[in-house]
């Protein structure tokens, strides 16, 4: 068996040590069924409290504890089923388990929807009295504060139950997108650099786009986006459905926009989103200069969209076997201290990671798991430098989860999506710093600079372009527009022209890229890649410059979970995202690195 080939293999042919240990969650499907039934029992038990949540301080505590037990259990049931399905989305057994778990999760949401409205029926003075007389409620102080903050956006018990019931239907656009993109669609084969037939997959598309052979890049690019073009109307319908879902929920909860509704969940002002887009708009000249350098370095008359992933330096071929990547990552993250590296080692050696691509496997990479499980990582590993950084990135998520759930009780054991990308990209920033400091020659330094600039391009500029696209399409529908495939293609192509500048030939095929991006179904998620990267640049510099004091602040950040609002958690670590400073500083560093590369070209 050869995991290094571009063509995906069947899962049973991959060695056990390269597969995640989901058996540590449930030994078999029968054990999962037992918890599935236990959730149903807990649902019946909590429903008995309807109308009684705030009868007394002790009753309130009972409800909150039972709710924690219920969500802790259903999380295990749902996450396990989804991760099993992600191993091979063609397996009907796990399609069924995921469907059942999703339905049960909707039931849990419905049957617990009375809790918040009943808490909000209490006057603040009465709630304060409860807090004083029942010691156990002290644990829930921040949770209750956050509930009260959303008082104007919580509906009646009957309305909340109705919204919860809609949950299953509301997930349809994302489900259809995933099934079409991951399970049903098939890309054609092309000839690789050696003339061998290679079937294009989600996992090997970017490695093919990094090829030194321009023919391979162009053929892969056109093959993928021409395939999406064939399904453009279906993808436009799924995205339109998702946007309408977001708008429906925002209106139902009395928000002025879907953006406000999405950000308010974590108490993030919309100005943070707008400031990000404005800051990037004000720093597009550096991106244009980078594209000009790329064109000159590649000795091209015209720079096309399929030329932006290939390394500028052609005679440095960095291939990194998976086992070797672990050594490199551990060296790069040494500034975070011995305890952090020990946790990293545990992850590598205890099967947290599902490493290689197989037929039917979900594309991309992610960190998942529950409060009670290992922090799992899904990869589709190919031996590229980019994939090494993907491991560091996803392990940043997982170790953040590890610290949070170890340091915090269940109620605060996770962290908000606004903070989700900070730890992951701090790992990347530390790793690239290590590699640049240990570079062997100017050529290799140029290669690494190219890679780091690509992190800025893809994580700050590109994700901000995605964020602007999301904002535009939501506002368009909120103002009465309809998201047709033609409209989406026109807008998306225009944004590419704006962000990449005059030295880029924006090929017609890129107009269909919006159909390929799963994050557009995540309700204003992607802007946090850019804010997270900007925060990470600041934190990594503090760690490298200040040493132990900054590391202590940072580990404190990782341990904070949801014990405070994310803006406050990040501020304690040393970054204030209510100002434009972190984004401006990150883009200032990008500009400096572009100038440094220009001197080496």
């Amino acid at each position: 068996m050869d995991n290094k080939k571009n063509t995906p293999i069947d899962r049973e042919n991959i060695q056990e040590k390269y597969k995640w240990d989901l058996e540590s969650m449930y030994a078999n499907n029968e054990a999962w069924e037992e918890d599935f039934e236990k959730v149903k029992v807990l649902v019946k038990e909590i429903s008995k409290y309807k109308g009684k949540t705030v009868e007394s301080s002790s009753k309130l505590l009972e409800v909150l504890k039972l709710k924690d037990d219920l969500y802790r259990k259903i999380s295990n049931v749902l996450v396990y089923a989804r991760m099993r399905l992600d191993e091979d989305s063609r397996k009907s057994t796990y399609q069924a388990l995921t469907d059942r778990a999703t339905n049960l999760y909707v039931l849990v949401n419905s049957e617990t929807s009375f809790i918040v409205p009943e808490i909000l029926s209490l006057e603040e003075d009465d709630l304060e009295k409860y807090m004083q007389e029942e010691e156990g409620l002290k644990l829930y102080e921040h949770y209750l504060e956050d509930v009260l903050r959303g008082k104007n956006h919580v509906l009646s018990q009957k309305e909340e139950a109705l919204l919860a019931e809609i949950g299953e239907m509301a997930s349809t656009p994302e489900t259809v997108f995933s099934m079409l993109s991951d399970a049903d669609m098939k890309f054609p084969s092309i000839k690789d650099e050696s003339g061998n037939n290679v079937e294009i997959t989600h996992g090997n598309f970017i490695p093919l786009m990094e090829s030194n052979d321009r023919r391979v890049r162009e053929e892969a690019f056109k093959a993928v986006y021409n395939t999406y073009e064939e399904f453009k109307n279906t993808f436009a319908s799924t995205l339109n459905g998702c946007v309408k879902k977001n708008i429906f929920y925002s209106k139902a909860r009395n928000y002025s926009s879907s953006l406000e509704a999405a950000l308010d969940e974590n108490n993030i002002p919309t100005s943070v989103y707008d400031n990000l887009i404005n800051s990037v708009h004000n720093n597009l000249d550096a991106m244009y200069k980078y594209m000009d350098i790329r064109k000159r370095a590649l000795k091209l008359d015209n720079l096309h969209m399929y030329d932006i992933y290939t390394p500028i330096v052609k005679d440095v071929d960095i291939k990194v076997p998976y086992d070797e990547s672990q050594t490199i990552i551990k060296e790069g993250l040494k500034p975070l201290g011995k305890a952090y590296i020990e946790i990293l080692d545990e992850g590598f050696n205890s099967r947290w990671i599902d490493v290689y691509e197989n037929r039917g496997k979900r594309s991309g990479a992610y960190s998942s798991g529950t409060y009670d499980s290992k922090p799992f990582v899904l990869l589709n590993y190919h031996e590229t430098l980019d994939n090494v950084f993907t491991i560091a990135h996803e392990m940043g998520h997982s170790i953040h989860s590890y610290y949070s759930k170890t340091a915090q009780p269940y109620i605060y054991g996770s962290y908000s999506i606004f903070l989700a990308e900070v730890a992951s990209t701090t790992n990347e920033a530390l790793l690239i710093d290590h590699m640049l400091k240990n570079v062997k020659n100017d050529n290799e330094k140029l290669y690494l600079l190219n890679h780091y600039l690509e992190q800025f391009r893809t994580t700050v500029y590109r994700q901000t372009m995605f964020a602007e696209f999301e904002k535009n399409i939501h506002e368009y529908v909120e103002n009465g527009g309809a998201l047709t495939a033609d409209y989406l293609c026109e807008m998306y192509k225009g944004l590419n022209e704006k962000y990449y500048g005059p030295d880029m030939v924006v090929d017609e095929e890129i107009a269909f890229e919006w159909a390929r991006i799963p994050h557009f179904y995540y309700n204003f998620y992607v802007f946090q890649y850019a804010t997270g990267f900007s925060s990470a640049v600041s934190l990594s510099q503090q760690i490298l410059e200040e040493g132990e004091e900054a590391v202590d602040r940072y580990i404190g950040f990782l341990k904070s979970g949801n014990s405070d609002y994310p803006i406050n958690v990040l501020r304690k670590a040393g970054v204030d995202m209510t100002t434009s400073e972190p984004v401006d500083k990150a883009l200032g560093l990008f500009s400096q690195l572009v100038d440094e590369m220009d001197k080496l070209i």
Side-chain angles (χ1 to χ4, degrees):
M1 168 315 268
D2 185 0
N3 289 323
K4 300 175 185 178
K5 291 182 178 178
N6 283 336
T7 302
I9 61 175
D10 291 325
R11 186 168 181 82
E12 53 265 30
N13 294 326
I14 296 176
Q15 295 178 53
E16 200 75 6
K17 67 178 181 177
Y18 296 122
K19 298 177 185 177
W20 53 19
D21 177 27
L22 297 191
E23 293 79 14
S24 62
M25 290 188 75
Y26 292 107
N28 48 47
N29 291 351
E30 288 72 27
W32 179 89
E33 293 285 357
E34 290 177 12
D35 263 9
F36 187 91
E37 293 302 318
K38 287 177 184 176
V39 170
K40 290 160 72 173
V41 172
L42 287 172
V43 167
K44 290 180 180 177
E45 189 175 340
I46 203 165
S47 65
K48 295 175 184 176
Y49 285 89
K50 287 181 181 177
K52 303 175 183 178
T53 304
V54 293
E55 278 186 354
S56 66
S57 57
S58 59
K59 192 80 73 175
L60 176 57
L61 181 60
E62 287 173 21
V63 171
L64 293 177
K65 283 184 173 180
L66 185 55
K67 180 175 74 73
D68 283 355
D69 292 342
L70 177 55
Y71 275 96
R72 194 164 171 175
K73 190 74 72 180
I74 186 59
S75 294
N76 290 329
V77 168
L78 181 60
V79 169
Y80 174 84
R82 285 180 171 173
M83 288 194 294
R84 280 297 191 202
L85 181 59
D86 287 345
E87 291 177 347
D88 187 345
S89 58
R90 303 169 301 174
K91 288 197 171 182
S92 59
T93 298
Y94 292 112
Q95 289 175 7
L97 258 60
T98 300
D99 191 47
R100 289 172 58 206
T102 301
N103 293 344
L104 186 59
Y105 188 75
V106 170
L107 177 65
V108 168
N109 285 340
S110 177
E111 291 300 309
T112 57
S113 61
F114 68 91
I115 297 173
V116 168
E118 289 188 21
I119 291 173
L120 290 174
S121 72
L122 269 180
E123 297 295 330
E124 287 192 37
D125 289 346
D126 291 330
L127 184 57
E128 184 61 35
K129 179 184 174 185
Y130 279 8
M131 296 286 292
Q132 291 174 0
E133 65 185 35
E134 178 54 71
E135 184 67 27
L137 286 175
K138 293 292 183 186
L139 172 65
Y140 295 93
E141 186 172 2
H142 177 63
Y143 165 78
L144 292 169
E145 174 193 342
D146 199 38
V147 168
L148 292 177
R149 184 181 65 82
K151 191 165 188 173
N152 292 334
H153 306 291
V154 176
L155 310 180
S156 69
Q157 181 179 327
K158 186 175 180 180
E159 290 168 328
E160 287 291 337
L162 188 61
L163 286 183
E165 289 286 350
I166 294 170
E168 185 179 355
M169 288 188 297
S171 65
T172 299
E174 183 181 352
T175 302
V176 173
F177 166 83
S178 179
M179 284 299 165
L180 177 58
S181 184
D182 294 333
D184 293 342
M185 279 179 59
K186 186 177 180 182
F187 301 112
S189 295
I190 64 168
K191 300 281 188 184
D192 67 11
E193 295 94 332
S194 304
N196 300 314
N197 278 327
V198 175
E199 177 189 339
I200 301 175
T201 67
H202 290 291
N204 68 17
F205 175 54
I206 295 302
L208 288 169
M209 292 291 287
E210 292 173 340
S211 170
N212 289 335
D213 189 330
R214 200 181 194 202
R215 175 196 58 79
V216 172
R217 302 197 302 267
E218 182 177 0
E219 288 184 8
F221 176 83
K222 291 183 176 180
V224 164
Y225 292 118
N226 287 340
T227 303
Y228 275 100
E229 182 180 7
E230 293 175 14
F231 299 93
K232 66 178 183 178
N233 294 311
T234 303
F235 282 116
S237 296
T238 60
L239 187 55
N240 191 33
C242 183
V243 169
K244 286 182 175 179
K245 173 199 72 174
N246 295 340
I247 293 171
F248 166 78
Y249 279 122
S250 69
K251 286 181 177 178
R253 295 200 176 280
N254 304 311
Y255 286 100
S256 62
S257 70
S258 48
L259 176 63
E260 183 190 19
L263 270 58
D264 188 57
E265 182 179 346
N266 294 298
N267 203 19
I268 307 295
T270 57
S271 59
V272 172
Y273 199 102
D274 294 333
N275 287 343
L276 169 67
I277 294 173
N278 290 334
S279 288
V280 171
H281 284 179
N282 291 334
N283 287 275
L284 286 173
D285 285 348
M287 173 57 70
Y288 299 165
K289 183 174 182 179
Y290 176 45
M291 290 300 102
D292 177 65
I293 292 171
R294 172 170 283 277
K295 184 172 73 171
R296 287 188 280 118
L298 294 175
K299 297 180 171 58
L300 297 173
D301 293 331
N302 294 294
L303 189 72
H304 284 258
M305 296 302 297
Y306 47 80
D307 296 319
I308 61 177
Y309 286 96
T310 188
I312 285 176
V313 184
K314 296 300 184 184
D315 53 350
V316 178
D317 185 22
I318 301 180
K319 294 291 184 184
V320 188
Y322 174 69
D323 293 341
E324 185 182 327
S325 72
Q326 299 178 25
T327 303
I328 294 171
I329 291 166
K330 284 190 286 186
E331 283 297 315
L333 301 185
K334 268 187 178 178
L336 291 174
K338 183 180 177 183
Y340 190 97
I341 299 301
E342 287 174 352
I343 297 168
L344 184 64
D345 256 332
E346 180 182 341
F348 286 144
N349 297 324
S350 301
R351 292 177 57 205
W352 288 12
I353 306 175
D354 203 75
V355 180
Y356 293 109
E357 182 180 9
N358 57 256
R359 288 189 177 88
K361 186 176 179 180
R362 184 192 190 277
S363 61
Y366 67 66
S367 170
S368 186
T370 69
Y371 189 80
D372 297 303
S373 79
K374 296 176 180 178
F376 291 109
V377 168
L378 179 139
L379 299 174
N380 285 274
Y381 189 77
H382 294 264
E383 296 182 351
T384 65
L385 182 62
D386 186 62
N387 277 200
V388 177
F389 281 90
T390 297
I391 297 173
H393 181 101
E394 299 303 338
M395 288 301 282
H397 286 306
S398 285
I399 295 176
H400 191 180
S401 298
Y402 181 96
Y403 270 117
S404 292
K405 67 186 185 181
T406 302
Q408 297 293 336
Y410 175 76
I411 186 68
Y412 306 126
S414 59
Y415 44 84
S416 79
I417 60 171
F418 186 74
L419 300 179
E421 297 304 327
V422 176
S424 55
T425 42
T426 297
N427 274 10
E428 290 192 77
L430 291 171
L431 180 57
I432 192 68
D433 180 83
H434 164 74
M435 296 181 81
L436 282 170
K437 285 176 179 173
N438 290 277
V439 74
K440 295 173 183 175
N441 53 57
D442 282 350
N443 221 28
E444 194 169 303
K445 183 178 183 181
L446 188 59
Y447 185 97
L448 290 171
L449 278 172
N450 176 202
H451 179 84
Y452 199 15
L453 289 171
E454 281 298 285
Q455 299 306 301
F456 277 90
R457 180 184 69 80
T458 58
T459 311
V460 181
Y461 284 95
R462 189 165 187 254
Q463 299 300 333
T464 302
M465 184 182 76
F466 285 174
E468 187 171 357
F469 176 75
E470 268 194 282
K471 186 172 186 283
N472 288 350
I473 62 176
H474 280 82
E475 289 178 349
Y476 185 67
V477 177
E478 284 169 339
N479 292 324
L483 296 183
T484 65
D486 289 344
Y487 173 81
L488 290 165
C489 289
E490 182 182 356
M491 176 190 288
Y492 194 82
K493 187 169 185 286
L495 284 172
N496 274 273
E497 291 168 345
K498 179 177 184 177
Y499 275 72
Y500 284 104
D503 286 301
M504 174 67 71
V505 177
V506 179
D507 302 273
E508 293 298 326
E509 289 85 358
I510 201 66
F512 301 100
E513 187 182 39
W514 59 266
R516 176 175 160 257
I517 309 300
H519 295 75
F520 291 151
Y521 296 82
Y522 297 176
N523 196 16
F524 294 101
Y525 185 97
V526 296
F527 88 101
Q528 290 151 133
Y529 286 112
T531 56
F533 190 96
S534 301
S535 301
V537 168
S538 178
L539 289 168
S540 63
Q541 293 303 309
Q542 292 175 39
I543 289 164
L544 292 168
E545 292 167 8
E546 299 175 31
E548 189 174 345
E549 185 178 337
V551 170
D552 288 344
R553 286 200 309 270
Y554 182 68
I555 299 300
F557 159 77
L558 297 180
K559 291 180 176 179
S560 294
N562 272 326
S563 61
D564 199 353
Y565 294 117
I567 287 286
N568 296 339
V569 170
L570 200 50
R571 189 182 287 120
K572 291 172 190 173
V575 177
D576 188 354
M577 284 305 302
T578 62
T579 71
S580 61
E581 183 182 16
V583 178
D584 289 338
K585 278 192 171 182
L587 296 179
L589 176 59
F590 175 79
S591 183
Q592 292 173 28
L593 294 170
V594 167
D595 290 342
E596 189 172 346
M597 172 174 270
D598 198 19
K599 293 173 184 176
L600 291 172
I601 288 295

